């Protein structure tokens, strides 16, 4: 008799965004003229930059001629894009081989798929509050999860200690939802710990392009020793507005070996079996992101979001409210005022200021008492929200 993957029965229903949508819908129905300021969304709002759009058009034309047409693309990524990405790393002083870069359709896909190359008995350590996909992908795969709560006391950037025991370690920096970023010194502690224990770090760098502070690490491979204990998963979704265009990349160093098995070789075997590569048109367009023109244009867009962050941070500073993030990330993680719970504060913001945030509790129990603001909205709405926050809480 067929048996479903019963691990799915252990998934908790995700009420977070559903509940938010329901509450917003009800408020809008009762207040049809109200303009709701949406600071909850994790999706970008600005269009693709010119360089990428030109790349898309040109690549579409290539597909119209037999002499430039491309059929199946190499499963691990087109050589031209693998080289562009490796060059991007080299430009920051990280030496990588082009064949250590794998092109993907996005970070979410990879964060779950990569579990294929680790034994199912391996436990996954997840720092909470966390991007919900880490937890769910591990539950679906029937893996044991070791939860590591973080708090204001450690700036939501916990370090390993004697009590921790896990084979896979998820690190997300800059972090979603907290916006906090590990320093090089802190990452070095994780890298040394992983090498000492034979563990592997899955480093989610989806927001690296938002780091503005000099000296903060954009990649785990800036840390000595990471080549023997880390895999990096990244995405153009937030960096270049590719949420609907889809392109990511994964770096697996050839030095990452356990029990005589080379994880780079294993991933080549996995990809050549389970995918037929990413579309030529999208890979060509993605290449434009890494050109000087593309870099300048994507950073113009990122700056719009960073200005939104500055606007919100200024208001929170004036109010004397504790928060993390904003400086090197598109998220601000604020403590709810007067000891309010996450949902209580969410309701207050919606009902009294028409602002929508994301209750921190939705990212794990230790997120209770916090709220996440996204800075991906429009500057006009963000400025209005900052004014209303000052009126409401000042
Ligand atoms: C931390 C983190 N990792 C990965 C992703 C997913 O990225 P992608 O759009 O490439 O699947 C997101 C998207 O919000 C994210 O916040």
């Amino acid at each position: 008799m067929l048996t479903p993957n019963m691990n799915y029965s252990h998934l908790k229903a995700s009420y977070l965004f559903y509940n938010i949508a329901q509450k917003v819908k009800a408020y809008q129905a009762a207040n049809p003229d109200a303009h709701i300021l949406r600071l909850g969304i994790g999706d970008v709002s600005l269009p693709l930059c010119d360089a990428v759009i030109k790349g898309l058009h040109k690549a579409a034309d290539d597909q119209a001629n037999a002499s430039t047409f491309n059929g199946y693309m190499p499963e691990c990524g087109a050589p031209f894009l693998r080289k562009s990405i490796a060059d991007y790393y080299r430009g920051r002083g990280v030496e990588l081989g082009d064949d250590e870069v794998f092109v993907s359709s996005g970070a979410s896909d990879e964060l779950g798929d990569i579990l294929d190359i680790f034994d199912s008995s391996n436990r996954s350590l997840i720092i909470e509050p966390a991007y919900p996909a880490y937890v769910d992908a591990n539950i679906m795969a029937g893996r044991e999860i070791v939860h590591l709560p973080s708090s204001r006391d450690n700036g939501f950037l916990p370090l390993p200690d004697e009590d921790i025991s896990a084979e896979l370690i998820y690190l997300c920096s800059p972090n979603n939802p907290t916006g906090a970023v590990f320093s090089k010194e802190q990452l070095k502690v994780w890298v040394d710990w992983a090498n000492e224990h034979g563990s592997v770090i899955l480093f989610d760098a989806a927001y690296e392009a938002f780091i503005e502070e000099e000296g903060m690490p954009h990649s785990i491979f800036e840390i000595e020793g990471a080549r023997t204990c880390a895999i990096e998963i990244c995405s153009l979704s937030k960096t270049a507005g590719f949420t609907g265009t889809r392109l990511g990349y994964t770096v697996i160093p050839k030095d990452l070996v356990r029990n005589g098995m080379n994880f780079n070789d294993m991933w080549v075997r996995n990809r050549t079996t389970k995918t037929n590569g990413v579309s030529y048109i999208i890979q060509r367009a993605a290449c434009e992101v890494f050109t000087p023109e593309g870099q300048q244009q994507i950073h113009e867009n990122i700056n719009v979001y960073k200005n939104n962050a500055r606007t919100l941070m200024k208001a929170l500073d004036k109010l004397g409210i504790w928060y993390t993030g904003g400086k090197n990330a598109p998220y601000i993680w604020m403590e709810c005022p007067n000891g309010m719970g996450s949902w209580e504060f969410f309701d207050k913001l919606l009902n009294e200021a028409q602002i929508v945030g994301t209750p921190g509790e939705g990212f794990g129990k230790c997120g209770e008492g916090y709220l996440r603001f996204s800075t991906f909205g429009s500057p006009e709405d963000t400025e209005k929200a900052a004014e209303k926050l000052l009126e409401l809480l000042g």
Side-chain angles (χ1 to χ4, degrees):
M1 196 174 73
L2 180 138
T3 312
N5 179 347
M6 291 308 291
N7 295 320
Y8 280 62
S9 68
H10 302 132
L11 291 166
K12 290 206 189 92
S14 175
Y15 291 121
L16 178 65
F17 291 102
Y18 176 77
N19 281 353
I20 293 174
Q22 289 301 102
K23 281 175 182 266
V24 173
K25 200 169 143 196
Y27 182 85
Q28 190 79 81
N31 304 276
D33 296 333
H35 176 60
I36 294 179
L37 305 165
R38 294 172 195 274
L39 271 56
I41 49 156
D43 200 353
V44 294
S45 56
L46 292 170
L48 294 168
C49 69
D50 268 2
V52 168
I53 292 294
K54 281 188 191 133
L56 282 170
H57 284 298
K58 158 122 196 12
D61 288 342
D62 287 348
Q63 296 298 72
N65 289 300
S67 61
T68 49
F69 170 77
N70 289 268
Y72 283 126
M73 297 299 290
E75 295 89 343
C76 299
F80 59 79
L81 182 55
R82 296 177 92 181
K83 178 176 183 314
S84 290
I85 296 168
D87 281 345
Y88 176 67
Y89 276 84
R90 289 178 202 121
R92 284 203 308 254
V94 173
E95 276 311 314
L96 283 185
D98 296 359
D99 54 358
E100 293 179 316
V101 176
F102 295 83
V103 175
S104 75
S105 306
S108 270
D109 314 38
E110 299 283 278
L111 284 161
D113 291 353
I114 200 83
L115 293 172
D116 261 14
I117 57 174
F118 300 98
D119 189 80
S120 57
S121 67
N122 292 167
R123 295 156 301 170
S124 293
L125 179 133
I126 298 178
I127 295 175
E128 289 183 352
Y131 178 54
Y134 302 159
V135 174
D136 286 355
N138 277 276
I139 292 176
M140 288 174 185
R143 284 164 185 275
E144 189 183 326
I145 298 175
V146 178
H147 299 271
L148 176 61
S150 62
S151 68
R152 176 177 168 172
D153 293 343
N154 53 30
F156 290 93
L157 296 167
L159 294 177
D161 61 30
E162 296 308 308
D163 300 334
I164 288 178
S165 180
E167 290 73 32
L168 286 170
I169 313 290
Y170 281 82
L171 295 183
C172 178
S173 178
N175 189 274
N176 180 10
T178 68
V181 188
F182 281 111
S183 68
K184 282 189 178 160
E185 293 71 26
Q186 289 168 322
L187 279 189
K188 178 78 175 130
V189 176
W190 276 110
V191 164
D192 288 349
W193 186 91
N195 275 323
E196 196 181 310
H197 292 81
S199 301
V200 170
I201 295 172
L202 299 176
F203 190 77
D204 184 342
Y207 298 100
E208 65 82 16
F210 289 77
I211 295 177
E212 66 179 40
E213 252 176 290
E214 281 294 313
M216 291 306 243
H218 289 242
S219 163
I220 187 101
F221 298 113
E222 291 176 42
I223 311 302
E224 197 197 328
R227 285 185 58 87
T228 52
C229 70
I231 289 175
E232 183 156 296
I233 293 174
C234 204
S235 164
L236 294 188
S237 280
K238 309 300 163 72
T239 299
F242 269 58
T243 51
T245 306
R246 310 304 302 148
L247 193 117
Y249 49 94
T250 297
V251 177
I252 309 184
K254 296 207 158 186
D255 303 345
L256 189 63
V257 179
R258 297 287 185 276
N259 293 358
M261 300 287 281
N262 184 303
F263 287 106
N264 183 293
D265 291 343
M266 289 172 76
W267 196 236
V268 171
R269 193 59 201 254
N270 181 294
R271 294 293 86 182
T272 50
T273 305
K274 293 197 168 181
T275 78
N276 268 326
V278 176
S279 131
Y280 166 74
I281 296 175
I282 304 300
Q283 292 197 68
R284 266 289 170 218
C287 239
E288 297 302 324
V289 170
F290 299 98
T291 62
E293 191 191 10
Q295 283 291 302
Q296 194 212 317
Q297 292 175 4
I298 64 157
H299 278 284
E300 280 165 17
N301 282 0
I302 287 174
N303 261 334
V304 172
Y305 303 136
K306 301 214 70 133
N307 269 332
N308 287 344
R310 282 178 210 117
T311 304
L312 290 169
M313 288 192 292
K314 216 154 110 190
L316 294 175
D317 286 340
K318 260 196 195 155
L319 291 163
I321 290 176
W322 187 90
Y323 63 90
T324 182
K327 191 154 183 54
N328 299 301
Y331 299 114
I332 294 175
W333 179 254
M334 67 170 284
E335 199 166 59
C336 301
N338 309 318
M340 265 187 261
S342 294
W343 279 107
E344 190 188 354
F345 185 49
F346 171 91
D347 287 336
K348 184 176 173 68
L349 282 181
L350 176 61
N351 293 318
E352 297 176 35
Q354 298 73 51
I355 297 172
V356 179
T358 308
E361 189 211 343
F363 300 99
K365 267 197 206 104
C366 61
E368 174 58 315
Y370 292 86
L371 186 114
R372 186 193 79 172
F373 282 135
S374 148
T375 63
F376 288 122
S378 76
E380 297 73 25
D381 277 8
T382 309
E383 270 161 36
K384 193 93 201 107
E387 278 167 29
K388 288 195 162 201
L389 276 178
L390 287 168
E391 274 167 34
L392 185 70
L393 305 173

